[in-house]
Amino acid sequence: MGLFKRSTGAAPDTISPHTPDSQSTSPTRSNDEKDLEAIHSEHTTSAPQSKWKLSAKSGDGDVAMALFGSPDELHEPISHEEERRVKRKIDWMILPYLAVCYAFFYIDKTTLSYAAIFGIREDLKLVGTEYSWLSSIFYFGFLAWAFPTNFLMQRLPIGKYLGFNIFLWGAFLMLQASAKNFTQLAVLRAFAGAAEACSDPSFMLITSMWYKRNEQPRAMGTWYVANGAGIALGGLLGYGIGNIHGAVPIWKLEFVIIGALCCVWGVVMFVFLPDSPVTAKGLSHREKRVAVERLRGNQTGVENKHLKGYQVREAFSDIKLYLFYILGVVCNVPNGGISNFGTIIIKGFGFSTLETTLMQIPYGAIIAISILICVFANEYVEKSGRQARTWFILLFLCPNIAGSFGLAFLDANNKAGRLTCYYLTGPYNAAFCMILSMSTANTAGHTKKVVTNAVLFLGYCTGNIIGPFFYLTSQSPRYQLGIWSMIVSHLIEVCVILLLRFLLAKENKRRDRVQGLEVGGLAGRDLDATAFSDMTDRENMNFRYIF
């Protein structure tokens, strides 16, 4: 048995039922033979099955099947040039919308941080840990709505659902300008967090619906790089808004202006972002089939609108889910602190309020450059057939660990050195982007993907909730405990990434060994039959993990 407990479901179109004779084996049979028998042993029935019901447990296949009239049409021959042309069209249909949206997400996360240096703590009379609670309460809303919003994403048109939530999120952001005290602002931030709960999970689902697994890091990097752009743009907006002199407090203008821009973009997303390759209005019927055919090798399908209980159970029995949860936590303990206390840390270096807003621009640029280098370098290495995603995660954690140690030990008077170390904490975003790509690439079965994404972002919420509480007011502006929380989190992340790589590599070797015993061996696998069956990565023995 592998470290990943297998589901015994199989694809009846590709695996023949066992006969009594075929089940009799020698007492000295090997473990590999036992593994091979386990693949074929259950869920056979004499009743005829629909030609599209490829997964015995799921009962129905992927929505991509709607584009094909018969099994003979399942394999769509396409030229390399036609595929490139369709992919370019897809890029323009998907990535700009997600990138702009992601920039707004991070601008929103830093809005409270800018409000802090523009006087919100004094105007609302925030005391003690109330500011930290305002940082964390956003993620309580995110946490509470994480599972419901992920299941709604599966049932509803994802593009329209995402646009609607972005509009709501912008509206709640605008309303925060009307808050008169801590309680009112906390409630509004919780609602805003609930509205944003669909953001990253929906982006991951959309990316997996449109891109090959080897393309997903670059696609994710394209929209995730807007994280850095959002920080830089947030700095420019903060500087511009900070120069507005009027009767309305500057921190209120931050909420109103950025919230209004988000509302407008939510409408744009609702109208123009396609829901799936099967229904995209911007593609011809032929182009839709090409878009789907490109994803055959993923073995993860496009989409399935039915919530499948067995996939929920399987997700929670899979060790990968818990490792991704831990990664969600330890990656975002640093994020929860830096995104809300970063401006306060920089101001503590001796910069003025407006200078502090501008100091975030280089930080955002470093994040953007780190992500681009990471995803393109990974793509170059993977073209040679090497598994390198976990190595790139570890590589881009090194600057963060070094920068965190620098912030912990450099003398307070060494402002240039401490600012440099602060900037070195940016590349962890590249590492987290690669972790997101590993989650989408290594989970099959649409319901299982939804559950795995939800749990990963439960970890994301947990990290962002607890992160700010390491930044004690009594330790401002050095925040020694907060800096050590970053160091410990990154070191735990290193250990979890190495464990994940070991487990995925071991399971791939086991599957190669088991399928090598079948008639035809590895070369004789029928990849077409399982590509759009909505089988999970455990059910589908043709699936291979990426690490």
Side-chain angles (χ1 to χ4, degrees):
M1 298 293 286
L3 286 173
F4 294 87
K5 181 183 175 184
R6 293 186 306 280
S7 168
T8 49
D13 287 30
T14 61
I15 297 176
S16 301
H18 269 256
T19 63
D21 289 342
S22 68
Q23 293 178 355
S24 60
T25 56
S26 167
T28 60
R29 60 184 178 169
S30 68
N31 287 334
D32 289 348
E33 290 170 328
K34 294 176 183 177
D35 280 341
L36 181 60
E37 180 181 305
I39 302 170
H40 300 283
S41 62
E42 292 188 5
H43 303 289
T44 57
T45 176
S46 59
Q49 299 208 18
S50 165
K51 62 185 179 184
W52 297 133
K53 292 184 179 179
L54 296 181
S55 173
K57 281 190 170 184
S58 64
D60 63 334
D62 196 90
V63 296
M65 295 298 188
L67 293 174
F68 302 93
S70 70
D72 295 336
E73 297 180 25
L74 277 173
H75 192 77
E76 183 81 359
I78 56 175
S79 67
H80 179 66
E81 181 54 39
E82 184 178 24
E83 181 183 358
R84 287 183 60 188
R85 179 177 57 80
V86 172
K87 181 182 178 295
R88 284 195 299 268
K89 195 168 184 178
I90 291 170
D91 287 342
W92 284 106
M93 290 173 61
I94 302 298
L95 297 181
Y97 295 107
L98 300 188
V100 173
C101 192
Y102 211 79
F104 277 125
F105 286 152
Y106 208 86
I107 291 171
D108 167 63
K109 289 179 175 65
T110 57
T111 299
L112 183 64
S113 182
Y114 288 117
I117 62 174
F118 284 131
I120 191 173
R121 291 183 294 181
E122 294 77 15
D123 288 357
L124 298 190
K125 297 179 175 57
L126 303 179
V127 296
T129 60
E130 285 184 339
Y131 178 75
S132 294
W133 272 109
L134 288 175
S135 304
S136 297
I137 200 72
F138 178 92
Y139 294 100
F140 277 105
F142 198 123
L143 189 69
W145 194 239
F147 271 106
T149 201
N150 273 272
F151 290 135
L152 285 171
M153 271 191 284
Q154 181 174 7
R155 296 292 297 170
L156 300 174
I158 193 167
K160 292 178 176 56
Y161 183 71
L162 178 58
F164 174 73
N165 277 271
I166 294 167
F167 180 87
L168 281 181
W169 163 59
F172 286 125
L173 186 58
M174 292 175 68
L175 287 172
Q176 289 175 48
S178 66
K180 299 294 191 296
N181 53 48
F182 166 78
T183 302
Q184 292 178 6
L185 187 55
V187 171
L188 289 169
R189 285 188 60 78
F191 278 116
E196 195 180 314
C198 72
S199 56
D200 291 83
S202 66
F203 282 24
M204 293 167 67
L205 281 178
I206 290 169
T207 302
S208 69
M209 288 164 58
W210 289 91
Y211 290 95
K212 297 178 182 178
R213 291 201 294 171
N214 67 320
E215 297 169 347
Q216 287 171 12
R218 185 198 282 198
M220 287 186 173
T222 302
W223 52 258
Y224 203 90
V225 77
N227 190 341
I231 294 174
L233 182 58
L236 287 173
L237 284 171
Y239 184 80
I241 295 170
N243 279 292
I244 298 175
H245 301 290
V248 180
I250 294 173
W251 65 266
K252 291 191 175 187
L253 292 177
E254 279 271 335
F255 289 132
V256 171
I257 293 173
I258 295 174
L261 291 173
C262 292
C263 286
V264 171
W265 194 248
V267 174
V268 171
M269 296 275 283
F270 186 93
V271 174
F272 294 106
L273 183 66
D275 296 307
S276 85
V278 178
T279 60
K281 294 180 180 178
L283 299 177
S284 66
H285 184 71
R286 168 68 182 177
E287 288 171 333
K288 291 175 183 177
R289 290 170 65 130
V290 171
V292 167
E293 173 62 29
R294 284 175 13 89
L295 306 181
R296 181 176 303 280
N298 286 4
Q299 294 290 312
T300 58
V302 175
E303 187 180 30
N304 186 289
K305 290 297 185 183
H306 302 141
L307 178 64
K308 300 176 181 178
Y310 88 93
Q311 291 195 12
V312 175
R313 293 189 295 272
E314 180 180 310
F316 281 102
S317 66
D318 192 333
I319 190 174
K320 296 197 310 296
L321 178 136
Y322 300 98
L323 294 179
F324 282 125
Y325 172 79
I326 294 171
L327 289 172
V329 174
V330 296
C331 287
N332 288 284
V333 167
N335 181 65
I338 288 294
S339 63
N340 291 287
F341 288 85
T343 55
I344 301 173
I345 292 173
I346 292 177
K347 194 174 181 180
F349 297 154
F351 295 104
S352 70
T353 298
L354 290 178
E355 287 173 342
T356 297
T357 64
L358 293 178
M359 287 298 102
Q360 286 288 73
I361 297 174
Y363 187 62
I366 289 170
I367 290 173
I369 293 169
S370 299
I371 293 170
L372 291 175
I373 292 174
C374 182
V375 297
F376 278 98
N378 173 75
E379 184 175 288
Y380 176 79
V381 171
E382 284 192 349
K383 283 181 179 178
S384 65
R386 286 175 286 181
Q387 297 266 29
R389 292 193 193 184
T390 48
W391 296 140
F392 278 106
I393 291 171
L394 298 178
L395 177 64
F396 280 83
L397 283 177
C398 291
N400 300 76
I401 296 171
S404 300
F405 273 109
L407 287 173
F409 291 108
L410 283 181
D411 187 84
N413 294 322
N414 189 351
K415 294 178 181 178
R418 288 175 60 76
L419 180 61
T420 300
C421 289
Y422 172 78
Y423 286 153
L424 285 175
T425 63
Y428 79 89
N429 289 274
F432 190 58
C433 178
M434 294 300 291
I435 289 170
L436 297 183
S437 78
M438 286 191 65
S439 175
T440 58
N442 290 310
T443 310
H446 199 76
T447 298
K448 186 176 180 181
K449 279 191 286 187
V450 165
V451 172
T452 302
N453 288 347
V455 170
L456 190 159
F457 282 96
L458 288 178
Y460 168 90
C461 292
T462 304
N464 278 288
I465 286 170
I466 65 178
F469 288 98
F470 290 109
Y471 292 75
L472 304 177
T473 304
S474 60
Q475 296 182 346
S476 177
R478 284 190 65 103
Y479 295 113
Q480 295 93 326
L481 182 61
I483 300 305
W484 276 103
S485 74
M486 294 172 60
I487 294 171
V488 172
S489 294
H490 288 317
L491 293 178
I492 294 173
E493 187 176 352
V494 169
C495 296
V496 175
I497 288 296
L498 290 174
L499 175 60
L500 184 61
R501 181 181 178 90
F502 169 77
L503 293 176
L504 295 178
K506 183 176 181 180
E507 178 63 9
N508 277 1
K509 290 178 182 178
R510 187 193 68 81
R511 293 186 177 203
D512 286 346
R513 187 177 68 247
V514 170
Q515 287 195 308
L517 298 174
E518 293 183 312
V519 176
L522 289 175
R525 294 182 297 161
D526 187 356
L527 299 179
D528 290 347
T530 55
F532 301 112
S533 59
D534 196 43
M535 297 171 75
T536 67
D537 50 282
R538 278 188 184 171
E539 286 182 285
N540 184 2
M541 285 295 289
N542 287 332
F543 188 92
R544 292 298 183 272
Y545 295 99
I546 293 179
F547 51 86

